[in-house]
Amino acid sequence: MSAPTMRAFVLDAPGRCSVQEVPAPVAVPGEVVVDVERVGVCGTDVEFFTGEMAYLVEGDSTYPIRLGHEWAGTVAAVGDGVDRSWLGRRVMGDTMLGDRTCRRCRRGHQHVCAHRQEVGVRGRRHGALAEQVAVPAWSLHALPDAVDAVLGALVEPGGNALRAARATGAGPGDRALVLGPGTIGLLVAMFLRAAGAEVHLMGRTPESLAFARGLGFPHVWTEAGLPDLPFDAVVDASTAEHLPALALDLVEPAGRVVYIGLAGRPSTVDTRTLVLKDVTAVGVLSASPGLADTIAAYAGGAVDPRPLVAATVGLDEVGSVLAGRPPAGAGPGPKVLVDPHLR
């Protein structure tokens, strides 16, 4: 009797991908197998597709790779040592899988563990652009009924955005500027608005600016048209290498700058400006510490990211999406979701 297989999206080299029949995962001790219902296509996935992902240069990731780290699904099998109550539960999972023994992990910072795996990204941990994915049980977060598969697949980017919004310290009476109205930038803006801040967004294309206005953000600008206003906090959620320095220039003295976007090439900031303005700068890498609160925010309706989803496609269309070709009939939002069971 042959071993069971499943369909999975496999990236063999930059620009070279296919949907393949691969061995279905087995729930080894301490892990679960999840039937994947939705997966988000992320900018990190695009960087692997183009070959620009920094982990490839550093040797933390290699081809072939099975992508997909923003996911939601239902637990189908559990390994030895796992509470069987997980069976049949709707879940999403942390992308960052620390070794749980090092100093960083013991101090609660497993998302920056030097030996971490990242689901669909780093350390040969297969991702969720497949019909099933295997992950450690300790990485799971249960989803309440109010958070369906669409919202569940948006928890991981939401966790990053929530951490960035909180890092600004902005609330009622504060004015915050978000650079880059992509998925993360718009989610940051939503969390800032929920916190009571006056939110401004800066982008490049008329389409992205119009979409942001349609989400109820009236203060939307291009770089050239940015008004001369005091910004108590600035979040750089872009991929433009000159914007980290601009964020520092724009923030008010004693304000806060949060860096969550990554440019393809090194960016520079003048630390003299940082010091002389008495600015606090924060970098945000991971959603890990913000996942539970993001689920609660979605469940309670404080933030609704559904309008960000432009389309839902099957595995066979992932390569086209990564190549920058929008699906037929796609809406104006920046996020594409994948249903691995859609044909």
Side-chain angles (χ1 to χ4, degrees), residues 146-207:
V147 179
D148 63 7
V150 172
L151 290 176
L154 293 168
V155 169
E156 200 278 341
N160 280 280
L162 173 62
R163 290 190 65 213
R166 286 181 170 173
T168 68
D174 295 319
R175 181 181 292 117
L177 172 65
V178 179
L179 309 180
T183 298
I184 296 296
L186 290 170
L187 283 167
V188 172
M190 288 178 175
F191 280 110
L192 284 168
R193 179 170 61 186
E198 178 186 306
V199 183
H200 294 243
L201 289 119
M202 190 188 89
R204 292 187 299 114
T205 68
E207 294 80 9

Side-chain angles (χ1 to χ4, degrees), residues 6 43 70 81 89 99 119 122 153 165 170 175 249 298 307 309 333 337:
M6 67 173 183
E70 305 174 357
R89 296 183 73 180
D99 63 19
V119 177
R122 170 178 164 147
R175 181 181 292 117
D249 289 338
Y298 290 177
V309 179
L337 296 185

Side-chain angles (χ1 to χ4, degrees), residues 224-265:
L226 195 65
D228 183 16
L229 293 171
F231 295 106
D232 304 294
V234 180
V235 179
D236 177 19
S238 78
T239 58
E241 63 189 75
H242 74 287
L243 289 187
L246 180 63
L248 183 56
D249 289 338
L250 291 173
V251 74
E252 276 284 277
R256 299 175 73 89
V257 175
V258 179
Y259 295 112
I260 190 169
L262 290 172
R265 294 190 296 177

Side-chain angles (χ1 to χ4, degrees), residues 67-147:
L67 303 172
H69 61 277
E70 305 174 357
W71 60 268
T74 300
V75 177
V78 300
D80 289 345
V82 177
D83 187 339
R84 293 187 61 81
S85 68
W86 279 113
L87 281 170
R89 296 183 73 180
R90 300 177 49 259
V91 296
M92 61 80 56
D94 198 340
T95 298
M96 306 300 213
L97 308 178
D99 63 19
R100 308 188 79 194
T101 61
C102 71
R103 182 176 185 271
R104 295 175 191 172
C105 287
R106 293 197 309 271
R107 292 166 71 91
H109 306 310
Q110 59 91 19
H111 60 291
V112 289
C113 170
H115 308 111
R116 71 184 180 276
Q117 294 181 318
E118 297 179 28
V119 177
V121 176
R122 170 178 164 147
R124 309 303 299 172
R125 172 64 70 165
H126 291 319
L129 279 171
E131 293 177 319
Q132 293 186 316
V133 65
V135 295
W138 64 262
S139 71
L140 297 176
H141 288 259
L143 298 176
D145 291 342
V147 179

